Amino acid sequence: MIAGIIFDKDGTLFDFNATWGAWSAGMIATEAGGDPELTQKLADVLGYDIENKVFRAGSLVIASTAQELAEAILTVVPGDRDALLARMNKHAGEVGQVAAADLPVVMATLKAMNLRLGVATNDSEGPARLHLDRAGITDVFDFIAGYDSGHGGKPAPGQLHAFCKATGLTPDTCVMVGDSTHDLHAGRAAGMRTVGVLTGPAPAKELAPFADVVLRSVADLPSWIAEMRK
């Protein structure tokens, strides 16, 4: 019986390229200071195609923590890590999120099914809460964690174990929903069922080996769960 769902945020609740492309372009421009050579080096490190404004397969931005991204940026533009993280979180908090579905409706439907809901993101918790607030869905979640919330980041299962502890649910009654293999590996490591969604950069063939099912978006979750409960 499925009793709980824990969601990745970027690429799952929010369309990845539409949301984080602008962030990456802005960060690259800021940190490169207008230097064309540094601009290209930073784009290469982050796995961002400046010309086409899309992320390359395997981009660090897709599944890495903010700290890991900062360390990659510092290999190109040396500086103070804490100051860089502060700038990154500021930019992240200002990003205009593009929802991957009608999130208030989807979440209300899931809550009506008596499901406990959570968010586990490799983003920092502060910007993550801002994004959920702007989408009008913060209050539906029983648990929200970023990589800096004290439970680690994905693909390790710490955030997912913390969700179970917070809700009193066991992993076998929970589902991890995400757009990357990091999300699905975390779900499997935690002992949960896993659902892949196609609102991030990863194609179905990349997600399918690690997912119980691959859906177009979180909008398809209520019907899948209803089917699983039969």
Side-chain angles (χ1 to χ4, degrees), residues 143-153 156-160 162:
F143 175 86
I144 299 170
Y147 85 94
D148 55 355
S149 301
H151 314 296
Q159 293 174 321
L160 281 61

PDB file of all heavy atoms in Angstrom, residues 143-153 156-160 162:
ATOM      1  N   PHE A 143       7.370  17.289   4.957  1.00  0.00           N
ATOM      2  CA  PHE A 143       8.819  17.234   5.116  1.00  0.00           C
ATOM      3  C   PHE A 143       9.462  17.917   3.914  1.00  0.00           C
ATOM      4  O   PHE A 143       9.061  17.680   2.774  1.00  0.00           O
ATOM      5  CB  PHE A 143       9.266  15.764   5.192  1.00  0.00           C
ATOM      6  CG  PHE A 143      10.751  15.550   5.233  1.00  0.00           C
ATOM      7  CD1 PHE A 143      11.430  15.577   6.441  1.00  0.00           C
ATOM      8  CD2 PHE A 143      11.462  15.299   4.065  1.00  0.00           C
ATOM      9  CE1 PHE A 143      12.808  15.356   6.482  1.00  0.00           C
ATOM     10  CE2 PHE A 143      12.836  15.084   4.102  1.00  0.00           C
ATOM     11  CZ  PHE A 143      13.503  15.115   5.319  1.00  0.00           C
ATOM     12  N   ILE A 144      10.445  18.790   4.174  1.00  0.00           N
ATOM     13  CA  ILE A 144      11.202  19.454   3.108  1.00  0.00           C
ATOM     14  C   ILE A 144      12.666  19.455   3.519  1.00  0.00           C
ATOM     15  O   ILE A 144      13.016  19.933   4.600  1.00  0.00           O
ATOM     16  CB  ILE A 144      10.735  20.905   2.882  1.00  0.00           C
ATOM     17  CG1 ILE A 144       9.261  20.945   2.460  1.00  0.00           C
ATOM     18  CG2 ILE A 144      11.604  21.593   1.830  1.00  0.00           C
ATOM     19  CD1 ILE A 144       8.666  22.351   2.447  1.00  0.00           C
ATOM     20  N   ALA A 145      13.536  18.928   2.660  1.00  0.00           N
ATOM     21  CA  ALA A 145      14.965  18.898   2.977  1.00  0.00           C
ATOM     22  C   ALA A 145      15.800  19.250   1.768  1.00  0.00           C
ATOM     23  O   ALA A 145      15.525  18.801   0.649  1.00  0.00           O
ATOM     24  CB  ALA A 145      15.374  17.523   3.499  1.00  0.00           C
ATOM     25  N   GLY A 146      16.836  20.059   2.002  1.00  0.00           N
ATOM     26  CA  GLY A 146      17.864  20.318   1.012  1.00  0.00           C
ATOM     27  C   GLY A 146      19.111  19.545   1.394  1.00  0.00           C
ATOM     28  O   GLY A 146      19.150  18.880   2.431  1.00  0.00           O
ATOM     29  N   TYR A 147      20.151  19.677   0.570  1.00  0.00           N
ATOM     30  CA  TYR A 147      21.379  18.941   0.865  1.00  0.00           C
ATOM     31  C   TYR A 147      22.013  19.432   2.164  1.00  0.00           C
ATOM     32  O   TYR A 147      22.812  18.713   2.790  1.00  0.00           O
ATOM     33  CB  TYR A 147      22.368  19.078  -0.296  1.00  0.00           C
ATOM     34  CG  TYR A 147      23.217  20.332  -0.224  1.00  0.00           C
ATOM     35  CD1 TYR A 147      24.489  20.313   0.368  1.00  0.00           C
ATOM     36  CD2 TYR A 147      22.749  21.552  -0.710  1.00  0.00           C
ATOM     37  CE1 TYR A 147      25.256  21.465   0.461  1.00  0.00           C
ATOM     38  CE2 TYR A 147      23.509  22.697  -0.617  1.00  0.00           C
ATOM     39  CZ  TYR A 147      24.757  22.652  -0.038  1.00  0.00           C
ATOM     40  OH  TYR A 147      25.514  23.797   0.055  1.00  0.00           O
ATOM     41  N   ASP A 148      21.639  20.659   2.569  1.00  0.00           N
ATOM     42  CA  ASP A 148      22.239  21.272   3.755  1.00  0.00           C
ATOM     43  C   ASP A 148      21.337  21.186   4.988  1.00  0.00           C
ATOM     44  O   ASP A 148      21.550  21.904   5.966  1.00  0.00           O
ATOM     45  CB  ASP A 148      22.584  22.738   3.466  1.00  0.00           C
ATOM     46  CG  ASP A 148      21.386  23.551   2.953  1.00  0.00           C
ATOM     47  OD1 ASP A 148      20.302  22.960   2.727  1.00  0.00           O
ATOM     48  OD2 ASP A 148      21.539  24.773   2.795  1.00  0.00           O
ATOM     49  N   SER A 149      20.346  20.301   4.960  1.00  0.00           N
ATOM     50  CA  SER A 149      19.398  20.195   6.074  1.00  0.00           C
ATOM     51  C   SER A 149      19.838  19.201   7.146  1.00  0.00           C
ATOM     52  O   SER A 149      19.122  18.979   8.122  1.00  0.00           O
ATOM     53  CB  SER A 149      18.014  19.798   5.547  1.00  0.00           C
ATOM     54  OG  SER A 149      17.537  20.753   4.620  1.00  0.00           O
ATOM     55  N   GLY A 150      20.999  18.585   6.942  1.00  0.00           N
ATOM     56  CA  GLY A 150      21.520  17.672   7.941  1.00  0.00           C
ATOM     57  C   GLY A 150      21.345  16.203   7.628  1.00  0.00           C
ATOM     58  O   GLY A 150      21.678  15.344   8.447  1.00  0.00           O
ATOM     59  N   HIS A 151      20.815  15.902   6.422  1.00  0.00           N
ATOM     60  CA  HIS A 151      20.576  14.500   6.048  1.00  0.00           C
ATOM     61  C   HIS A 151      21.419  14.071   4.848  1.00  0.00           C
ATOM     62  O   HIS A 151      21.253  12.958   4.350  1.00  0.00           O
ATOM     63  CB  HIS A 151      19.098  14.290   5.722  1.00  0.00           C
ATOM     64  CG  HIS A 151      18.171  14.895   6.713  1.00  0.00           C
ATOM     65  ND1 HIS A 151      18.109  14.478   8.024  1.00  0.00           N
ATOM     66  CD2 HIS A 151      17.264  15.914   6.590  1.00  0.00           C
ATOM     67  CE1 HIS A 151      17.201  15.197   8.673  1.00  0.00           C
ATOM     68  NE2 HIS A 151      16.689  16.069   7.821  1.00  0.00           N
ATOM     69  N   GLY A 152      22.302  14.951   4.377  1.00  0.00           N
ATOM     70  CA  GLY A 152      23.102  14.647   3.198  1.00  0.00           C
ATOM     71  C   GLY A 152      22.340  14.932   1.917  1.00  0.00           C
ATOM     72  O   GLY A 152      21.250  15.512   1.927  1.00  0.00           O
ATOM     73  N   GLY A 153      22.935  14.537   0.802  1.00  0.00           N
ATOM     74  CA  GLY A 153      22.303  14.744  -0.501  1.00  0.00           C
ATOM     75  C   GLY A 153      22.159  13.421  -1.234  1.00  0.00           C
ATOM     76  O   GLY A 153      22.711  12.407  -0.828  1.00  0.00           O
ATOM     77  N   ALA A 156      22.657   9.362  -1.980  1.00  0.00           N
ATOM     78  CA  ALA A 156      22.559   8.707  -0.674  1.00  0.00           C
ATOM     79  C   ALA A 156      21.115   8.813  -0.174  1.00  0.00           C
ATOM     80  O   ALA A 156      20.392   9.751  -0.529  1.00  0.00           O
ATOM     81  CB  ALA A 156      23.520   9.356   0.313  1.00  0.00           C
ATOM     82  N   PRO A 157      20.651   7.889   0.642  1.00  0.00           N
ATOM     83  CA  PRO A 157      19.243   7.841   1.034  1.00  0.00           C
ATOM     84  C   PRO A 157      18.889   8.603   2.308  1.00  0.00           C
ATOM     85  O   PRO A 157      17.770   8.495   2.795  1.00  0.00           O
ATOM     86  CB  PRO A 157      19.010   6.339   1.247  1.00  0.00           C
ATOM     87  CG  PRO A 157      20.323   5.854   1.765  1.00  0.00           C
ATOM     88  CD  PRO A 157      21.372   6.653   1.026  1.00  0.00           C
ATOM     89  N   GLY A 158      19.832   9.413   2.850  1.00  0.00           N
ATOM     90  CA  GLY A 158      19.591  10.070   4.125  1.00  0.00           C
ATOM     91  C   GLY A 158      18.335  10.906   4.190  1.00  0.00           C
ATOM     92  O   GLY A 158      17.567  10.856   5.176  1.00  0.00           O
ATOM     93  N   GLN A 159      18.070  11.705   3.154  1.00  0.00           N
ATOM     94  CA  GLN A 159      16.873  12.555   3.142  1.00  0.00           C
ATOM     95  C   GLN A 159      15.604  11.705   3.152  1.00  0.00           C
ATOM     96  O   GLN A 159      14.606  12.052   3.800  1.00  0.00           O
ATOM     97  CB  GLN A 159      16.875  13.451   1.896  1.00  0.00           C
ATOM     98  CG  GLN A 159      17.979  14.495   1.884  1.00  0.00           C
ATOM     99  CD  GLN A 159      18.014  15.234   0.555  1.00  0.00           C
ATOM    100  OE1 GLN A 159      17.829  14.650  -0.513  1.00  0.00           O
ATOM    101  NE2 GLN A 159      18.279  16.534   0.604  1.00  0.00           N
ATOM    102  N   LEU A 160      15.658  10.589   2.453  1.00  0.00           N
ATOM    103  CA  LEU A 160      14.480   9.722   2.355  1.00  0.00           C
ATOM    104  C   LEU A 160      14.225   9.011   3.669  1.00  0.00           C
ATOM    105  O   LEU A 160      13.065   8.851   4.093  1.00  0.00           O
ATOM    106  CB  LEU A 160      14.656   8.728   1.208  1.00  0.00           C
ATOM    107  CG  LEU A 160      14.399   9.279  -0.198  1.00  0.00           C
ATOM    108  CD1 LEU A 160      15.345  10.422  -0.541  1.00  0.00           C
ATOM    109  CD2 LEU A 160      14.525   8.184  -1.247  1.00  0.00           C
ATOM    110  N   ALA A 162      14.991  10.273   6.512  1.00  0.00           N
ATOM    111  CA  ALA A 162      14.484  11.331   7.393  1.00  0.00           C
ATOM    112  C   ALA A 162      12.996  11.575   7.147  1.00  0.00           C
ATOM    113  O   ALA A 162      12.242  11.862   8.087  1.00  0.00           O
ATOM    114  CB  ALA A 162      15.283  12.609   7.183  1.00  0.00           C
TER     115      ALA A 162
END
